[in-house]
Amino acid sequence: MSLAVTNNAQRSVSQVETKVQTPHDLLINKIAFEIPSYQRPYVWGGEGVLKLLQDIEQAFIAKEHQYYIGTVLSSKLSKKANKDASVSFELIDGQQRMTTLMLIAIAFKKANVDCELSNVAILAHFSRVTFSIREMVQGLLCSWTDLEFTHKPSDEDIHKNEYTKHLAEALNTATSFIKEIRKDRKKGEA
């Protein structure tokens, strides 16, 4: 995953720093992301998530060492929503992909896959991705990662809300895909 990080806070001239980041980098460097209020709702449905997972699976089968998901543009924040983060970035572009990656990490955990990726969605006692003003979205992500939060939305609320219905569809698709792969691999080993 590639993150283009821009930090203009103390300089009159813009400076852009580009880094290639992996899920492992997010874990060891305690990186958190904040989705600002101006970002549109998450709109990827099951079809987009399934396509991404199939592409990743094909890259794995082809023994590709890296899979490029695109550039994520972010800006370093001086104030962090997640106090356990070493650094927090506001996502300027790439929110859909980053949210999808967090949902895939949650799906790995829900499918009981014990791997490094299943731990990417959380950072200490908080969600690695926070949504500035979308309390229902934040509550939903926290409930899916077994983190405490003030309000877990009901299934009815989730499917009626523009901000959460696609998240639920994406998570269900990812979880089903991962469980199916595990089942196929177990059959192949028998």
Side-chain angles (χ1 to χ4, degrees):
M1 161 179 20
S2 175
L3 296 176
V5 182
T6 306
N7 184 2
N8 300 338
Q10 298 176 339
R11 295 191 171 100
S12 59
V13 177
S14 296
Q15 180 181 5
V16 175
E17 179 182 343
T18 303
K19 292 182 183 179
V20 173
Q21 300 281 314
T22 66
H24 179 75
D25 296 329
L26 300 180
L27 284 170
I28 63 170
N29 295 319
K30 297 182 180 178
I31 297 171
F33 298 96
E34 296 181 33
I35 310 295
S37 59
Y38 60 80
Q39 287 283 0
R40 67 184 173 135
Y42 181 78
V43 295
W44 280 32
E47 194 174 301
V49 172
L50 182 59
K51 174 76 172 115
L52 175 63
L53 286 166
Q54 289 170 336
D55 288 349
I56 293 170
E57 179 186 34
Q58 289 306 309
F60 176 78
I61 290 168
K63 297 186 185 328
E64 294 177 20
H65 295 287
Q66 293 183 343
Y67 178 77
Y68 178 71
I69 62 154
T71 299
V72 174
L73 184 62
S74 60
S75 178
K76 189 174 181 180
L77 296 169
S78 56
K79 184 178 177 193
K80 301 177 284 188
N82 184 335
K83 65 180 168 85
D84 293 316
S86 293
V87 64
S88 264
F89 292 100
E90 178 181 62
L91 285 174
I92 297 167
D93 184 47
Q95 180 253 139
Q96 302 290 312
R97 283 168 284 150
M98 187 59 72
T99 302
T100 301
L101 291 173
M102 293 304 120
L103 291 170
I104 291 170
I106 293 169
F108 269 84
K109 195 160 204 87
K110 286 190 163 301
N112 295 316
V113 177
D114 186 26
C115 66
E116 198 170 60
L117 184 59
S118 65
N119 298 315
V120 168
I122 58 172
L123 175 58
H125 300 90
F126 298 96
S127 177
R128 187 172 301 277
V129 175
T130 57
F131 289 77
S132 291
I133 62 166
R134 298 188 181 129
E135 189 172 319
M136 183 183 279
V137 171
Q138 198 63 46
L140 185 59
L141 288 177
C142 287
S143 70
W144 285 341
T145 54
D146 298 325
L147 295 171
E148 289 187 31
F149 197 73
T150 55
H151 175 72
K152 179 192 183 290
S154 69
D155 287 341
E156 183 180 334
D157 287 341
I158 292 167
H159 294 290
K160 287 190 324 189
N161 184 286
E162 189 65 29
Y163 293 100
T164 56
K165 67 182 180 181
H166 297 293
L167 291 166
E169 181 185 352
L171 179 62
N172 289 336
T173 299
T175 304
S176 295
F177 182 85
I178 292 164
K179 285 181 177 179
E180 191 63 34
I181 285 176
R182 290 190 83 201
K183 191 167 79 174
D184 289 348
R185 294 250 162 98
K186 285 182 182 178
K187 282 182 188 176
E189 293 171 2

